[in-house]
Amino acid sequence: MGQDNREWSWVGEDGTEHPVDEDELSFALSSEELPAYTLVCKKGWGEWLPAMQVAELLWALPAGRSDNPRKPAIGRKPAPPLERYPKLKQRAADIASGAIDPAAESSLGLPAIMVKPRSTVASKPDIHAEVPRARNRMMSLSDGDEPTLQLDVEALDQAFENLQAGVGLGVSSRSPTDNSSPPPAVPRPKPSAAEEPVELDTSVLRSAPPAPAAKPPLPTPPPGIPRRPLRTPPPGSAARQPIPTPPPGSAPRQPFPTPPPGSVPRSPLPTPAPDGRAAPPRMPSAPSWPSQSPLPPAFGNGAGTPSATPWPRGAPLEPDAPRAPPRRWPWLMVAAIATGSAGAWWINTTQEPEPEPIPVALPTTPEPKPEPPKMACSVKATPTAVAGWAHVNVRPVLTRAPGLNKIAVGYAQTSKLAVGLVLDTLTLAAEKPYSYSQNSPLLSVVPVTTAMGQRLEFLESRAASTLQSAIFVPARSPFAVGLSSGAVAVRLEGEADRVVWRPPWETISVPATARLDANTHAVVLRAGGERGSMLLGKLTEQGKPIGELREIAPGTDRLGQPTVTTSENKIAISFDAGLRGEPNRSAYLGISELPELPARAQPVLTFDDEISAVGAVALPNKHSFVQYTRGELTKQRVLGQVLDQDNQPVGDPIEIAPKGEDSYNGELYSDGSHILVTYLVRDGNNHEFWATSLKCAMTP
């Protein structure tokens, strides 16, 4: 790669600048070869910024390491501000531990509030003055376009005192520290006649409400007209009897007769005399009404029959015959009320009451809860033989390689020949950049990226070393961890073995390691063989222990080899084991958020036959993928199973290896978008090295 393409530079704490291109810098940040607080600069920039604040590099940082992005200044590149490293280190550590939330800091910009100056009127408060909206009066922006809070407390106190004194809301425009005299009040222009303000009588508002006015007296009748007294029953008279209701089946009451045609009409009501006194008219004496006559004498000839002779028009009234007022309409009203009451009573007594409805409880079906989305995995690239053969006693080690969709694999082709491959996760195309042979048997072959992730190396551990069951830890300065004199020890380049833990067992398996963060590595090992314990611990970048080893699955028996992977900002530790005294075997899985280790592993898949070589990776949405080898010898199959957030299987197992082939010893690695599984396929007495690529996605 040409030097002219290296438009980026990064500087370490020693002040040495390193020109790189964007791919090299991104890979170094994503693999944590460079910490997120590393100062970087690009051509055309006038300042150095930490990588965690550069918008172009945030995608390459591990989760939980990015800060709020800043816009760099344009200009000439200055000298690196190395004195900023202590504060940048502390801020990066606080962001990683959660003590600082950059997203919360960016959302704490409060809207600025300030009291806008308002002119006051010296004479009296203007109740018609328009009060501006609170947003227009209280919102403001500073020169940096950041919302600020500008609140004049003294001005608010003065306004409150003015309101209490009845002066009005006069808000001063002076600052709290201004000791100068207030500016003179600006008189308000006099409004026109249409806009003349109305004076409010505050005394009326503050006084008690007036008492209600007395009712006017009732009017008195004119002189000479006596008031008619109310009719009251005489003392000692019997109480009024209720109107009898007709018995059932009785004949209906006859209606009142109407006057025949040609009869004398009723005389009009009398009018008062001119002197104001009442002058009631005189009516002629009427004969008595016989009980057998159906008509009164006034409408007939006195015998109860209609008369053809009308009353003589204009005939004088007898002065001695007083007029009796008609009293037929009250009786008509009473009769109508009695008839209606009797009819209602008869309807109520003869009609059967309607039965009250009996409430029926309808069956209710609970609404089905929507199922959470599930993860599904499928084979992306068909199973392919990527190498001729492999040694069955040396487990392959997989890690990310330089380039897009590249995975590096270190394995043993024979007991003494170490081989390194680079596989493409999309096509499974293989490159062989490394091959080395010695007379000493191999224990492990570990791919390690150096030079900011741009150079790939393969580190071997062999049996000739004093450190047994050893494997290299891919630190910035790689070191080996293994068994030395019955204890777990580390060996740094040029140093003697240093004991870090003393487990209660004298034998251990080759450990499995994974990076937890920029300064910590996880170590998982099986101590004491199949009937021993599964232990895990932490080591620093310098190989120093953090705490003691602890057991992750107590009470288990027939332990298999452990596998540890990191993906989706989580660590997954898996192995196969069985409970003491039970014939079944299970796949155990423990997952936790980085950089913490799982508290314990629990069985997620249980089988009634043999399984081995269990491995797992974490997937999005709290899902996981577990691969395992199942079946008896010469009939083994490499399978995969997706688990949901409750560790329940999703769908059927996936056939990873070609059907009908004896496949076993699977290992897996996830680069975030694909899962690469390597395994062995028996070919007579040889073991071919195969691989399969899978793609996982959420299903609706």
Side-chain angles (χ1 to χ4, degrees), residues 10 24-36 38 62 448-455 474-478 515 517-518 521 541:
W10 65 273
E24 294 175 344
L25 183 59
S26 302
F27 188 83
L29 293 172
S30 62
S31 62
E32 298 186 337
E33 290 289 337
L34 290 179
T38 302
V448 177
T449 56
T450 59
M452 296 169 35
Q454 296 304 307
R455 186 170 66 246
R476 286 189 286 271
S477 296
R515 180 180 288 275
D517 56 21
H521 297 266
E541 279 283 285

Side-chain angles (χ1 to χ4, degrees), residues 385-436:
V386 295
W389 62 90
H391 188 56
V392 69
N393 293 331
V394 179
R395 297 180 62 187
V397 179
L398 287 70
T399 189
R400 188 191 298 268
L404 186 63
N405 300 322
K406 301 293 185 181
I407 301 296
V409 183
Y411 71 102
Q413 195 166 29
T414 66
S415 62
K416 300 177 182 180
L417 177 60
V419 176
L421 294 181
V422 175
L423 300 180
D424 190 310
T425 57
L426 299 180
T427 62
L428 295 182
E431 300 176 6
K432 187 178 178 181
Y434 181 77
S435 178
Y436 186 73

Side-chain angles (χ1 to χ4, degrees), residues 32 62-65 516 566-571 591-596 618:
E32 298 186 337
R65 302 293 192 273
L516 298 177
T566 57
S567 61
E568 294 295 326
N569 201 28
K570 296 179 181 178
I571 181 173
I591 296 180
S592 64
E593 298 283 343
L594 292 176
E596 300 300 325

